[in-house]
Amino acid sequence: MAAQEEGDTEMMAEPPAKPEPEAPVTQVETNSQTDSQTKQTPDAVDGSPRPQSQEETTTLPEVLSEPKETIDFKVMWNKKKYDITFPLDDTVEMLKKHIQGLTGIPPAMQKLMYKGLAQDQKTLRELKVTKGAKMMVVGSTLDDVVAATTVDKEAIKEEEKKEKSQKESFSSQKLHKKILDKGKPDDVMPGHKGKEKLPTVPLSGMLNKSGGKVRLTFKLELDQLWIGTKDRTDKLPLGSIKAVVSEKIDGQEEYSIMGLQLGPTEASRYWVYWVPSQYVEAIKDAILGKWQYF
């Protein structure tokens, strides 16, 4: 009995064993489970999950990057040809920006000719541009415009000062009066004091300083002005005309006298009489454009 009690005492004196710690749940297992759940997608038939294939993960970007339909054509400017590939559904305005990178001509100074003047809002598809078609660009770079005008700038300013100092109107000056005294030509186009765009037909029935009939034909697609008389037709590049002066005829303001300056001095002006006044501003815009530095 004493031995048993001694054994019991020893057993009671032994400290209790510490419980073994539970195995920690690692982040790897949690992430693995999450990834497994993420990569499973419902089956189209019974709703059970199935792994997403590599093909499915690459199909969407391929659909989003579907290429636009393009057309190959040529653009001509300043005796140069450019081969262009451009989306059919992009507009003329967007094409002008592309052409600026090739030629240096700002879009605002470009005129694109394809079966007539191409409007900015039209697409190439709407213009019915075909493969291998030729499109003409009319316009000059800013550097060309500055170079063309700077040379004669001082001389032109001197001429303008002379004109301002003269008290006589064009109609009163002897040079012009002898033509005006012949009277208005019977076949001159009707004139008025308003403003209109250039007509689609040549301006005809007017007179030059010799009293002969003269007509003006604007070939904007060629960047030219054709001055026609009974004996000849002069085809002038619009860039060769340095300035345009005009003044309404005294007592008949629906018509004007116009001088096209072909050189640096007043002596180089080509005078045209009985120009319908409503077309004067349109003529100046067509010849000089909106970029005038003098």
Side-chain angles (χ1 to χ4, degrees):
M1 185 69 176
Q4 185 177 359
E5 289 178 357
E6 184 178 351
D8 292 340
T9 303
E10 291 177 357
M11 292 178 61
M12 292 177 61
E14 183 179 352
K18 294 182 179 180
E20 294 183 4
E22 295 182 2
V25 179
T26 64
Q27 187 65 30
V28 175
E29 292 177 348
T30 304
N31 292 341
S32 175
Q33 183 180 5
T34 304
D35 292 344
S36 175
Q37 293 174 353
T38 303
K39 292 182 179 179
Q40 292 178 348
T41 58
D43 189 85
V45 178
D46 56 9
S48 60
R50 60 177 176 84
Q52 188 174 5
S53 65
Q54 182 67 23
E55 180 180 354
E56 290 174 335
T57 62
T58 58
T59 301
L60 184 56
E62 292 174 356
V63 172
L64 293 177
S65 61
E66 184 177 351
K68 295 182 179 180
E69 184 179 358
T70 59
I71 189 73
D72 298 328
F73 59 98
K74 296 182 183 296
V75 165
M76 297 182 294
W77 173 73
N78 200 22
K79 299 182 180 179
K80 296 179 182 178
K81 292 183 180 180
Y82 301 90
D83 293 319
I84 291 182
T85 300
F86 206 73
L88 266 173
D89 293 313
D90 281 0
T91 62
V92 170
E93 184 178 11
M94 298 167 71
L95 176 59
K96 286 183 176 181
K97 294 179 181 179
H98 180 73
I99 292 175
Q100 180 182 14
L102 299 174
T103 63
I105 308 174
M109 296 178 66
Q110 293 181 35
K111 294 178 183 178
L112 298 189
M113 310 303 301
Y114 183 74
K115 299 179 181 179
L117 181 63
Q119 301 297 325
D120 285 352
Q121 70 276 13
K122 294 286 187 180
T123 65
L124 271 60
R125 190 185 299 277
E126 291 172 335
L127 293 178
K128 299 181 180 179
V129 177
T130 56
K131 183 177 181 180
K134 294 180 181 180
M135 188 176 295
M136 179 173 290
V137 179
V138 178
S140 301
T141 64
L142 285 174
D143 290 341
D144 290 340
V145 173
V146 172
T149 57
T150 301
V151 176
D152 302 321
K153 187 175 181 180
E154 293 302 322
I156 293 172
K157 283 185 176 180
E158 290 298 322
E159 294 297 330
E160 289 179 343
K161 288 180 181 179
K162 290 181 181 179
E163 290 175 4
K164 290 179 181 179
S165 63
Q166 292 175 347
K167 295 181 179 180
E168 285 186 314
S169 65
F170 284 169
S171 300
S172 301
Q173 294 176 21
K174 184 177 179 180
L175 172 67
H176 309 304
K177 194 173 185 300
K178 66 178 183 179
I179 302 299
L180 298 179
D181 286 346
K182 295 181 179 180
K184 183 177 70 174
D186 295 335
D187 57 345
V188 71
M189 297 176 70
H192 60 78
K193 299 178 183 179
K195 293 183 180 180
E196 290 186 20
K197 295 180 179 179
L198 285 175
T200 56
V201 297
L203 296 174
S204 59
M206 301 169 292
L207 303 177
N208 58 21
K209 67 178 182 179
S210 300
K213 290 295 181 65
V214 64
R215 65 183 178 277
L216 301 179
T217 305
F218 287 87
K219 294 288 186 178
L220 298 181
E221 68 277 12
L222 301 177
D223 203 24
Q224 293 180 349
L225 169 63
W226 293 7
I227 301 178
T229 62
K230 181 180 178 181
D231 301 321
R232 58 185 293 178
T233 297
D234 292 317
K235 301 179 180 180
L236 305 178
L238 294 179
S240 68
I241 303 174
K242 307 303 180 183
V244 180
V245 296
S246 65
E247 187 178 287
K248 289 182 172 61
I249 296 175
D250 292 344
Q252 299 193 63
E253 285 76 13
E254 65 271 22
Y255 291 96
S256 296
I257 301 170
M258 178 175 290
L260 306 176
Q261 189 160 314
L262 308 181
T265 65
E266 182 179 350
S268 67
R269 287 176 179 167
Y270 186 94
W271 292 102
V272 183
Y273 303 88
W274 301 104
V275 179
S277 294
Q278 69 267 27
Y279 299 129
V280 169
E281 292 303 318
I283 291 172
K284 291 181 178 179
D285 285 345
I287 294 175
L288 304 174
K290 296 180 180 179
W291 298 86
Q292 300 185 46
Y293 296 88
F294 49 87

